[in-house]
Amino acid sequence: MSAPAAVILAAGKSTRMKSELPKVLHPILGRPMIEYVLDAARTAGCEKIVVIVGHKAEEVKAALTQHSDVEFALQAEQKGTGHAVMMSAESLADHDGPVLVLAGDTPLLKGSTLSRLLDVQQQKQAACVVGTAITEANEGLGRIVRDAEGNFLRIVEQKDATPEEAAIQEINTGCFAFDGRQLFNALEQVKPDNNQAEYYLTDCAEILRKAGETVVAEAAFDIQEAMGVNTQEQLAEIAEILQRESAE
Ligand code: UD1
Ligand code: MG
């Protein structure tokens, strides 16, 4: 079995940053924010990292050339998170092991939390482990739907949710640990049949569960750790948190 690999999504355009610089290159304490995600993936044991680039792809690649364990895959058109991960299929064709899927705009991720996702995936021989967090501030995030026994059923995006589902406070952080082979099998079955007409990565979890595979939703994250940067204000907030952490 191969050592874990990571796929980091960084193809999306971020209008809310109101900046020409690609979002994942915005510096935090002097380093592009995506480098914090690379660090966390490495700490969790990932030996190969595929960064999905799209919006301002050349600029993102140029800024990360010194990372010898990073490969790039181009998503020319942004058709959703599932479509983005699909772009890494070629880079991971020979990979036979776990795959972490992460976003490039979540610099507070901890290697130890990602290790926990990988441990659960191995221990349970799960096809998919969804990293979740509990929060009242669930606006805009995917909700985790469970059955009466607490077993994972599916992830529902806010735009597709019923009012009852929208009230759920367990959310998808966007961090997953998959069995690599199962991930790409499931991605082939994802269809853009939702209110955003996108290929959702999140659909893989339900596809695998329905195929009889083990899918686990693990509330491993503190909501702050999974916080993504969408605005300059959030960037400043995260810089302050990292500054405090490095001072300690
Ligand atoms: C996604 C999840 C949602 C989760 C949230 C956590 C899906 C369908 N939904 O929602 O359940 O709660 O993240 O933050 O996955 N990206 C690409 N290419 C694309 C689309 C997105 O590279 O075609 C990248 C973005 O740049 C970003 C990441 O993927 O880094 C997440 O995309 P975003 O559009 O923010 O997804 P959400 O709708 O927030
Ligand atoms: Mg988002």
Side-chain angles (χ1 to χ4, degrees), residues 9 81-82 85 101-103 105-106 109 117 128-135 137-146 152 154-158 165-166 168-178 196 199-206 215-223 225-228:
L9 306 186
T81 49
V85 175
V101 179
L102 311 169
D105 63 356
T106 50
L109 288 182
L117 291 189
C128 172
V129 180
V130 186
T132 76
I134 313 284
T135 178
N138 57 5
E139 182 65 27
L141 298 167
R143 313 296 205 273
I144 305 298
V145 184
R146 295 177 183 268
F152 173 84
R154 63 183 171 276
I155 303 168
V156 177
E157 294 307 300
Q158 174 158 320
E165 289 166 340
I168 296 172
Q169 296 190 348
E170 186 179 13
I171 58 89
N172 170 29
T173 61
C175 300
F176 299 81
F178 284 95
Q196 303 188 84
Y199 293 87
Y200 287 169
L201 172 65
T202 46
D203 284 353
C204 290
E206 186 180 13
V215 178
V216 184
E218 181 79 5
F221 292 82
D222 182 283
I223 187 64
E225 184 185 347
M227 194 162 95

Side-chain angles (χ1 to χ4, degrees), residues 154-197:
R154 63 183 171 276
I155 303 168
V156 177
E157 294 307 300
Q158 174 158 320
K159 286 181 177 148
D160 306 304
T162 63
E164 205 175 45
E165 289 166 340
I168 296 172
Q169 296 190 348
E170 186 179 13
I171 58 89
N172 170 29
T173 61
C175 300
F176 299 81
F178 284 95
D179 170 87
R181 302 268 180 225
Q182 302 274 20
L183 166 63
F184 291 104
N185 285 340
L187 280 172
E188 284 176 13
Q189 297 168 54
V190 172
K191 293 185 189 71
D193 54 0
N194 50 62
N195 288 334
Q196 303 188 84

Side-chain angles (χ1 to χ4, degrees), residues 109-130:
L109 288 182
K110 290 192 177 74
S112 55
T113 312
L114 302 182
S115 290
R116 179 166 152 199
L117 291 189
L118 288 167
D119 287 347
V120 172
Q121 192 269 328
Q122 287 301 300
Q123 280 161 16
K124 302 202 169 161
Q125 287 295 299
C128 172
V129 180
V130 186

Side-chain angles (χ1 to χ4, degrees), residues 19-248:
S19 162
E20 283 300 307
L21 189 67
K23 176 158 82 170
V24 296
L25 297 186
H26 277 76
I28 300 179
L29 311 184
R31 298 174 71 205
M33 73 166 93
I34 192 172
E35 289 196 358
Y36 293 88
V37 184
L38 298 178
D39 284 350
R42 287 177 186 129
T43 303
C46 294
E47 290 184 2
K48 182 172 184 172
I49 301 175
V50 184
V51 174
I52 311 296
V53 291
H55 176 68
K56 302 210 170 168
E58 291 312 314
E59 216 176 307
V60 177
K61 281 160 78 171
L64 300 174
T65 44
Q66 75 275 26
H67 299 278
S68 57
D69 53 353
V70 173
E71 273 184 34
F72 300 93
L74 180 68
Q75 185 194 25
E77 243 188 293
Q78 279 73 67
K79 298 182 188 174
T81 49
H83 181 256
V85 175
M86 190 71 114
M87 301 300 112
S88 70
E90 214 173 296
S91 299
L92 296 177
D94 296 328
H95 178 79
D96 187 18
V99 174
L100 280 180
V101 179
L102 311 169
D105 63 356
T106 50
L108 295 179
L109 288 182
K110 290 192 177 74
S112 55
T113 312
L114 302 182
S115 290
R116 179 166 152 199
L117 291 189
L118 288 167
D119 287 347
V120 172
Q121 192 269 328
Q122 287 301 300
Q123 280 161 16
K124 302 202 169 161
Q125 287 295 299
C128 172
V129 180
V130 186
T132 76
I134 313 284
T135 178
E136 282 173 30
N138 57 5
E139 182 65 27
L141 298 167
R143 313 296 205 273
I144 305 298
V145 184
R146 295 177 183 268
D147 68 14
E149 279 80 53
N151 300 306
F152 173 84
L153 287 181
R154 63 183 171 276
I155 303 168
V156 177
E157 294 307 300
Q158 174 158 320
K159 286 181 177 148
D160 306 304
T162 63
E164 205 175 45
E165 289 166 340
I168 296 172
Q169 296 190 348
E170 186 179 13
I171 58 89
N172 170 29
T173 61
C175 300
F176 299 81
F178 284 95
D179 170 87
R181 302 268 180 225
Q182 302 274 20
L183 166 63
F184 291 104
N185 285 340
L187 280 172
E188 284 176 13
Q189 297 168 54
V190 172
K191 293 185 189 71
D193 54 0
N194 50 62
N195 288 334
Q196 303 188 84
E198 284 183 7
Y199 293 87
Y200 287 169
L201 172 65
T202 46
D203 284 353
C204 290
E206 186 180 13
I207 288 168
L208 290 165
R209 179 185 63 77
K210 284 185 170 164
E213 300 295 336
T214 302
V215 178
V216 184
E218 181 79 5
F221 292 82
D222 182 283
I223 187 64
Q224 176 175 287
E225 184 185 347
M227 194 162 95
V229 176
N230 291 305
T231 62
Q232 297 287 345
E233 219 171 32
Q234 287 169 339
L235 185 71
E237 201 179 313
I238 284 179
E240 215 170 277
I241 293 167
L242 284 169
Q243 181 119 50
R244 219 180 302 134
E245 278 177 9
S246 80
E248 278 165 17

